[in-house]
Amino acid sequence: MTYKQFRLSTSILMSLLILSGCTDNDPETEPEDTVEEMPQEETQDNDEADIDDGENNETEEEGNHSEEDEEVKSDEPAITIDMEEDLLDPDSIKVLVNKQYALPEDYAPDDLVTVEVPTVLENPEIRQLREVASEALTDMFAAAEEDGIILYARSGYRSYQTQVELFNNYVSNHGEEAANRYSARPGESEHQTGLAMDVTSESVNYQLTEAFGETAEGQWVEENAHDFGYIIRYLEGEEEVTGYQYEPWHLRYLGEELAADVAESGLTYEEYLLERGIDIEIDE
Ligand SMILES: [Zn+2]
């Protein structure tokens, strides 16, 4: 439960809106008053019924426990992570993207869809996610709503070229050093994967701000996002590991299994990989 320790911190260090790597000041986007609510009436099909169609010929459940090595079997790690096939492949949902591991300039996902949840901004590009991440987002927002929590999606997919514009804007407004802390360089933004979505709520005026982490919505996300395959990517107090400030709004899709494992560890994705013995580079 170390993950929950992050909830306890109440730093109000940044009273300003943090214009982070996820920032939303895309030139062609519109201000907050353009909240657009999309209908959310589709039925959620959450019944992942385990269809037992009899294909499973093994009858282990029925008392076939004579061999002791069964225990060993259940201890095997279920999730495999391969450097080449997972972390370095831009199309993998496990891809690692940060200041050490940049995406190619010409990479764009080929399965982007427009998200089916309420969004804050109308820019068509950033309302997209890869299909698998979009479906998970729909499920997550619906589950949140059942708990009385209303979430909004703000900024999802961002092309390499959009990130070029964002970063350059940030540099000219705040200088390069600040830009490096709050904004991703082109190729180094998870938003280019189509697997990251910034979420927000009415309670923080639909902004991306650290205060979101203290809201009911932010708390709900922290406690539940992993059930839908998302992790909070930039944890509080982990700036040196992730290279970014705490961003309670930036969710990264990793798939349900891996997200649950990472969330349970209470670690950043980078630390989690290191702890699993995967030799990734970390900024020093
Ligand atoms: Zn973001």
Side-chain angles (χ1 to χ4, degrees), residues 20-23 155-156 158 189-191 196-199 208 233-234 247 249-251:
S20 71
C22 322
T23 48
S155 197
R158 212 180 280 153
S189 170
E190 279 198 328
H191 288 275
M197 177 58 82
D198 299 330
V199 300
L208 304 180
R233 185 67 176 81
Y234 306 116
E247 295 189 357
W249 61 83
H250 177 104
L251 303 184

Side-chain angles (χ1 to χ4, degrees), residues 42-60:
E42 57 194 278
T43 338
Q44 294 304 314
D45 193 349
N46 285 331
D47 58 333
E48 295 173 3
D50 293 321
I51 300 168
D52 200 357
D53 54 4
E55 275 182 25
N56 187 356
N57 293 327
E58 297 176 54
T59 53
E60 289 175 46

Side-chain angles (χ1 to χ4, degrees), residues 182-234:
Y182 297 110
S183 179
R185 284 200 192 82
E188 299 175 3
S189 170
E190 279 198 328
H191 288 275
Q192 192 186 337
T193 66
L195 297 169
M197 177 58 82
D198 299 330
V199 300
T200 184
S201 59
E202 184 180 6
S203 56
V204 290
N205 200 25
Y206 313 104
Q207 301 298 309
L208 304 180
T209 165
E210 224 174 83
F212 177 68
E214 304 299 325
T215 64
E217 294 84 2
Q219 301 273 301
W220 190 96
V221 165
E222 187 172 311
E223 286 166 19
N224 297 284
H226 59 268
D227 288 339
F228 303 90
Y230 281 94
I231 61 164
I232 296 173
R233 185 67 176 81
Y234 306 116

